[in-house]
Amino acid sequence: MYHTCALTSRGGVKCWGWNILGQLGDGTTTNQTTPVNVSGLSSGVVAVAAGDAHTCALTSGDGVKCWGANYAGELGDGTTTDRLTPVDVSGLNNRVTAIAAGGAHTCTLMSEGSVKCWGGNDTSQLGDGTMTNQTMPVDVNGLSSGVVAIAAGGAHTCALTSRSGVKCWGMNEFGQLGDGVTVSQTTLVDVNGLSSGVVAIAAGG
């Protein structure tokens, strides 16, 4: 929210915009109207994802670094301390193939097709069956394999499966889980009518 980041052709990351919680990763809390370099990430990055006030990068070594707001544990470093520069996400063992950043939570697609999430969980957007914030990655229940893409919204998350279907979990006040009701879900549900034929997913606020 209010900030933007770019992955450069050299594998570096530049960010600009709102920076009150360090989400630009340049070591300051100064807003920037033009791109600035993220500290320590001049190369070696293959993907970047921006949440409301935090940002994460997937490195060429299949690890994840995050920076910015951490009040709900969305940086995944085992603390709730905001970070002005990138820190390593704990417990991923260099097996990450994709990342997604939500409002105050973050998720990763793992090499075996499973999904792990961490951070804010007040509406069960982590999919671990609880409503407890997590400062380190936890497994999404029922997704130990078979996932090919993930997307994180403001307080919900969705996964595209290898069978070209979609499953979602978390906040559902406005029907954003697509299961035909408006009840939030602590574990994943199938999106009605999308059991096959899907090739990509995206999640909004």
Side-chain angles (χ1 to χ4, degrees), residues 33-111:
T33 59
T34 57
V36 294
N37 292 319
V38 175
S39 179
L41 291 183
S42 60
S43 64
V45 175
V46 297
V48 63
D52 272 4
H54 75 290
T55 315
C56 294
L58 173 60
T59 71
S60 56
D62 300 333
V64 179
K65 294 178 180 286
C66 297
W67 58 94
N70 199 25
Y71 59 89
E74 55 264 56
L75 303 189
D77 66 343
T79 78
T80 54
T81 303
D82 297 343
R83 306 290 186 178
L84 305 185
T85 57
V87 293
D88 291 317
V89 176
S90 302
L92 294 177
N93 300 318
N94 299 325
R95 296 185 293 113
V96 179
T97 61
I99 55 174
H105 74 292
T106 313
C107 295
T108 53
L109 175 61
M110 308 302 289
S111 57

Side-chain angles (χ1 to χ4, degrees), residues 144-195:
S144 59
S145 63
V147 177
V148 297
I150 54 174
H156 74 292
T157 315
C158 294
L160 172 61
T161 73
S162 57
R163 295 184 178 181
S164 301
V166 181
K167 297 177 181 289
C168 297
W169 58 95
M171 178 180 279
N172 200 24
E173 181 180 1
F174 305 103
Q176 54 264 59
L177 302 189
D179 62 344
V181 300
T182 55
V183 178
S184 297
Q185 301 289 346
T186 59
T187 56
L188 57 92
V189 294
D190 292 315
V191 175
N192 288 353
L194 292 183
S195 59

